[in-house]
Amino acid sequence: MAQDEAANDAGRKGLVIAVDGPAASGKGTIARALARHFNLPHMDTGLLYRAVALNLLQTGGELDSEFAAARACDISQIDLADPELKSEAVGGIASRISVYPSVRAALVERQRAFANQSGGAVLDGRDIGTVIAPDAAVKLFVTASPELRAQRRLQELLKRGMSAHREEVLADILARDERDAGRDAAPLRQASDATMLDTSEMAIEEAIAAAIALVEEQVARA
Protein backbone atom coordinates (compact mmCIF):
# COMPACT_ATOMS: atom_id res chain seq x y z
CA MET A 1 0.00 0.00 0.00
CA ALA A 2 1.36 3.43 -0.95
CA GLN A 3 2.14 5.82 1.88
CA ASP A 4 -0.52 8.38 0.88
CA GLU A 5 -3.18 5.68 0.51
CA ALA A 6 -2.26 4.16 3.88
CA ALA A 7 -2.35 7.57 5.52
CA ASN A 8 -5.77 8.29 4.03
CA ASP A 9 -7.14 4.95 5.20
CA ALA A 10 -5.79 5.60 8.70
CA GLY A 11 -7.46 8.99 8.84
CA ARG A 12 -10.81 7.74 7.55
CA LYS A 13 -11.01 4.82 9.94
CA GLY A 14 -9.67 6.56 13.01
CA LEU A 15 -6.84 4.04 13.20
CA VAL A 16 -5.41 3.48 16.67
CA ILE A 17 -2.05 1.71 16.79
CA ALA A 18 -0.87 0.36 20.14
CA VAL A 19 2.86 -0.33 20.39
CA ASP A 20 3.99 -2.07 23.57
CA GLY A 21 7.26 -3.59 24.67
CA PRO A 22 10.05 -3.55 27.25
CA ALA A 23 12.65 -0.82 27.71
CA ALA A 24 15.00 -0.13 24.77
CA SER A 25 13.21 -2.57 22.47
CA GLY A 26 12.86 0.05 19.76
CA LYS A 27 9.13 0.58 20.29
CA GLY A 28 9.45 4.37 20.55
CA THR A 29 11.41 4.71 17.33
CA ILE A 30 8.99 2.38 15.56
CA ALA A 31 5.94 4.19 16.94
CA ARG A 32 7.23 7.57 15.77
CA ALA A 33 7.93 6.14 12.32
CA LEU A 34 4.43 4.66 12.15
CA ALA A 35 2.93 8.01 13.14
CA ARG A 36 4.82 9.74 10.33
CA HIS A 37 3.94 7.06 7.78
CA PHE A 38 0.23 7.00 8.59
CA ASN A 39 0.00 10.73 9.34
CA LEU A 40 -1.20 10.18 12.90
CA PRO A 41 -0.42 11.96 16.20
CA HIS A 42 1.95 10.09 18.50
CA MET A 43 2.22 9.81 22.27
CA ASP A 44 5.18 8.32 24.11
CA THR A 45 3.32 7.37 27.29
CA GLY A 46 6.56 6.50 29.06
CA LEU A 47 7.47 10.17 28.80
CA LEU A 48 4.54 11.01 31.09
CA TYR A 49 5.93 8.74 33.80
CA ARG A 50 9.38 10.23 33.28
CA ALA A 51 7.85 13.70 33.67
CA VAL A 52 6.31 12.66 37.00
CA ALA A 53 9.68 11.24 38.03
CA LEU A 54 11.49 14.45 37.11
CA ASN A 55 8.89 16.52 38.94
CA LEU A 56 9.32 14.33 42.01
CA LEU A 57 13.10 14.69 41.79
CA GLN A 58 13.02 18.46 41.32
CA THR A 59 10.57 19.05 44.18
CA GLY A 60 12.52 16.87 46.60
CA GLY A 61 9.73 14.35 47.10
CA GLU A 62 10.37 11.00 48.74
CA LEU A 63 11.24 8.65 45.90
CA ASP A 64 9.75 5.59 47.61
CA SER A 65 6.51 7.27 48.67
CA GLU A 66 3.37 6.59 46.63
CA PHE A 67 1.76 9.67 48.18
CA ALA A 68 4.64 11.91 47.05
CA ALA A 69 4.63 10.32 43.59
CA ALA A 70 0.88 10.89 43.25
CA ARG A 71 1.33 14.56 44.15
CA ALA A 72 4.03 14.83 41.48
CA CYS A 73 1.52 13.79 38.78
CA ASP A 74 0.73 17.45 38.14
CA ILE A 75 3.29 17.77 35.37
CA SER A 76 2.01 21.03 33.90
CA GLN A 77 5.32 22.74 34.70
CA ILE A 78 7.47 20.03 33.13
CA ASP A 79 8.80 20.59 29.62
CA LEU A 80 8.32 17.28 27.80
CA ALA A 81 11.22 18.26 25.54
CA ASP A 82 13.64 18.51 28.47
CA PRO A 83 16.58 16.18 27.66
CA GLU A 84 16.85 15.33 31.35
CA LEU A 85 13.73 13.20 30.91
CA LYS A 86 15.85 10.74 28.94
CA SER A 87 18.47 10.33 31.66
CA GLU A 88 19.00 6.97 33.33
CA ALA A 89 18.33 8.50 36.76
CA VAL A 90 14.90 9.76 35.73
CA GLY A 91 14.17 6.53 33.87
CA GLY A 92 14.97 4.49 36.95
CA ILE A 93 12.65 6.58 39.12
CA ALA A 94 9.92 6.40 36.48
CA SER A 95 10.15 2.62 36.51
CA ARG A 96 9.83 2.58 40.30
CA ILE A 97 6.85 4.93 40.54
CA SER A 98 5.00 3.27 37.65
CA VAL A 99 4.09 0.39 39.98
CA TYR A 100 1.93 2.73 42.07
CA PRO A 101 -1.80 2.38 41.22
CA SER A 102 -2.45 6.02 42.14
CA VAL A 103 0.17 7.23 39.66
CA ARG A 104 -1.21 5.05 36.88
CA ALA A 105 -4.76 6.17 37.65
CA ALA A 106 -3.70 9.82 37.46
CA LEU A 107 -2.22 9.37 33.99
CA VAL A 108 -4.53 6.82 32.42
CA GLU A 109 -7.33 9.19 31.39
CA ARG A 110 -4.88 11.51 29.67
CA GLN A 111 -3.61 8.58 27.63
CA ARG A 112 -7.09 7.27 26.83
CA ALA A 113 -8.23 10.71 25.71
CA PHE A 114 -5.28 10.84 23.32
CA ALA A 115 -6.08 7.37 21.99
CA ASN A 116 -9.76 8.21 21.51
CA GLN A 117 -9.30 11.46 19.61
CA SER A 118 -10.98 11.68 16.23
CA GLY A 119 -8.79 10.51 13.36
CA GLY A 120 -6.80 7.97 15.37
CA ALA A 121 -3.41 7.93 17.05
CA VAL A 122 -0.25 5.95 17.74
CA LEU A 123 0.71 5.31 21.36
CA ASP A 124 3.69 3.42 22.70
CA GLY A 125 4.24 2.15 26.20
CA ARG A 126 3.85 -1.00 28.25
CA ASP A 127 0.08 -1.33 28.71
CA ILE A 128 -1.39 0.35 25.63
CA GLY A 129 -2.91 -2.75 24.05
CA THR A 130 -4.04 -4.25 27.35
CA VAL A 131 -5.27 -1.26 29.38
CA ILE A 132 -5.16 2.10 27.60
CA ALA A 133 -6.55 1.09 24.20
CA PRO A 134 -7.69 -2.55 24.41
CA ASP A 135 -9.88 -2.01 21.32
CA ALA A 136 -7.04 -0.64 19.19
CA ALA A 137 -7.29 -1.79 15.58
CA VAL A 138 -3.60 -2.68 15.46
CA LYS A 139 -1.44 -3.93 18.32
CA LEU A 140 2.27 -4.59 18.12
CA PHE A 141 4.50 -5.99 20.83
CA VAL A 142 8.06 -4.95 20.07
CA THR A 143 10.82 -6.84 21.83
CA ALA A 144 14.49 -7.82 21.64
CA SER A 145 16.96 -9.71 23.80
CA PRO A 146 17.97 -7.99 27.06
CA GLU A 147 21.62 -7.97 25.99
CA LEU A 148 20.84 -6.20 22.73
CA ARG A 149 18.53 -3.75 24.44
CA ALA A 150 21.27 -2.94 26.93
CA GLN A 151 23.73 -2.35 24.08
CA ARG A 152 21.28 -0.03 22.36
CA ARG A 153 20.66 1.92 25.54
CA LEU A 154 24.40 2.16 26.21
CA GLN A 155 25.04 3.58 22.75
CA GLU A 156 22.22 6.06 23.23
CA LEU A 157 23.64 7.25 26.55
CA LEU A 158 27.19 7.54 25.24
CA LYS A 159 25.93 9.49 22.23
CA ARG A 160 24.40 12.00 24.63
CA GLY A 161 27.72 12.35 26.41
CA MET A 162 26.56 10.48 29.51
CA SER A 163 28.80 8.11 31.43
CA ALA A 164 27.56 4.52 31.42
CA HIS A 165 28.85 0.95 31.64
CA ARG A 166 27.35 -2.02 29.83
CA GLU A 167 27.07 -4.21 32.93
CA GLU A 168 25.20 -1.51 34.84
CA VAL A 169 22.89 -0.77 31.93
CA LEU A 170 22.09 -4.46 31.49
CA ALA A 171 21.38 -4.84 35.21
CA ASP A 172 19.04 -1.84 35.02
CA ILE A 173 17.26 -3.29 31.96
CA LEU A 174 16.72 -6.61 33.74
CA ALA A 175 15.50 -4.87 36.89
CA ARG A 176 13.02 -2.78 34.87
CA ASP A 177 11.78 -5.88 33.08
CA GLU A 178 11.14 -7.57 36.42
CA ARG A 179 9.33 -4.54 37.86
CA ASP A 180 7.25 -4.01 34.72
CA ALA A 181 6.20 -7.64 34.41
CA GLY A 182 5.66 -8.21 38.13
CA ARG A 183 3.70 -5.12 39.15
CA ASP A 184 0.07 -5.53 40.18
CA ALA A 185 -1.15 -2.50 38.25
CA ALA A 186 -1.19 -3.05 34.46
CA PRO A 187 1.86 -5.34 34.19
CA LEU A 188 3.83 -5.48 30.97
CA ARG A 189 2.52 -8.34 28.85
CA GLN A 190 1.71 -9.01 25.24
CA ALA A 191 -1.99 -8.57 24.48
CA SER A 192 -3.58 -11.79 23.22
CA ASP A 193 -4.37 -10.13 19.88
CA ALA A 194 -1.03 -8.33 19.47
CA THR A 195 1.55 -9.27 16.87
CA MET A 196 5.09 -9.72 18.19
CA LEU A 197 7.92 -7.99 16.38
CA ASP A 198 11.33 -9.18 17.56
CA THR A 199 13.92 -6.62 16.47
CA SER A 200 16.95 -8.51 17.81
CA GLU A 201 18.31 -9.31 14.37
CA MET A 202 17.01 -6.19 12.60
CA ALA A 203 18.56 -2.86 11.76
CA ILE A 204 16.26 0.01 12.63
CA GLU A 205 15.24 0.52 8.99
CA GLU A 206 14.28 -3.16 8.74
CA ALA A 207 12.28 -3.02 11.96
CA ILE A 208 10.36 0.07 10.80
CA ALA A 209 9.62 -1.52 7.43
CA ALA A 210 8.41 -4.69 9.12
CA ALA A 211 6.16 -2.71 11.48
CA ILE A 212 4.66 -0.71 8.60
CA ALA A 213 3.98 -3.93 6.69
CA LEU A 214 2.25 -5.47 9.72
CA VAL A 215 0.04 -2.41 10.19
CA GLU A 216 -0.84 -2.20 6.50
CA GLU A 217 -1.73 -5.89 6.51
CA GLN A 218 -4.12 -5.42 9.42
CA VAL A 219 -5.60 -2.22 7.95
CA ALA A 220 -6.26 -4.06 4.67
CA ARG A 221 -8.08 -6.86 6.54
CA ALA A 222 -10.30 -4.44 8.48
Side-chain angles (χ1 to χ4, degrees):
M1 182 181 292
Q3 179 171 343
D4 289 345
E5 183 182 350
N8 288 337
D9 276 355
R12 285 197 301 269
K13 298 177 181 178
L15 178 65
V16 177
I17 303 174
V19 184
D20 289 307
S25 61
K27 65 181 182 295
T29 300
I30 287 172
R32 288 190 295 273
L34 290 174
R36 289 192 299 270
H37 184 86
F38 292 100
N39 193 28
L40 292 169
H42 166 248
M43 173 181 276
D44 173 357
T45 63
L47 205 59
L48 300 181
Y49 290 93
R50 284 175 175 265
V52 174
L54 182 59
N55 193 26
L56 183 63
L57 195 62
Q58 290 180 343
T59 56
E62 175 55 53
L63 302 184
D64 292 319
S65 165
E66 180 172 359
F67 176 74
R71 290 186 62 183
C73 286
D74 178 3
I75 56 176
S76 57
Q77 301 303 312
I78 298 296
D79 179 5
L80 294 181
D82 187 340
E84 183 62 22
L85 290 171
K86 296 293 187 178
S87 72
E88 281 298 279
V90 169
I93 297 170
S95 178
R96 288 158 59 185
I97 65 172
S98 68
V99 305
Y100 295 142
S102 59
V103 171
R104 305 198 71 83
L107 299 178
V108 68
E109 288 309 317
R110 180 170 179 170
Q111 296 171 67
R112 283 179 174 160
F114 189 90
N116 292 330
Q117 64 185 294
S118 61
V122 180
L123 297 88
D124 72 85
R126 288 167 173 76
D127 62 353
I128 308 304
T130 55
V131 175
I132 302 302
D135 296 326
V138 178
K139 298 179 184 179
L140 301 180
F141 190 86
V142 181
T143 190
S145 69
E147 292 76 16
L148 184 57
R149 290 188 283 126
Q151 184 61 32
R152 289 173 178 171
R153 179 56 56 83
L154 177 63
Q155 291 174 348
E156 179 184 352
L157 293 172
L158 295 177
K159 186 176 180 179
R160 291 178 185 155
M162 300 179 181
S163 176
H165 301 282
R166 187 180 184 282
E167 294 77 11
E168 294 176 355
V169 175
L170 177 58
D172 182 64
I173 288 285
L174 293 173
R176 291 190 194 188
D177 286 353
E178 184 176 359
R179 282 195 298 268
D180 290 341
R183 69 191 181 211
D184 293 329
L188 169 67
R189 61 182 176 84
Q190 181 179 345
S192 60
D193 53 348
T195 300
M196 178 179 288
L197 177 59
D198 190 329
T199 66
S200 296
E201 303 299 325
M202 295 181 180
I204 187 58
E205 295 81 6
E206 293 177 285
I208 290 172
I212 290 173
L214 288 171
V215 174
E216 288 181 340
E217 179 183 329
Q218 294 186 47
V219 168
R221 289 203 307 262

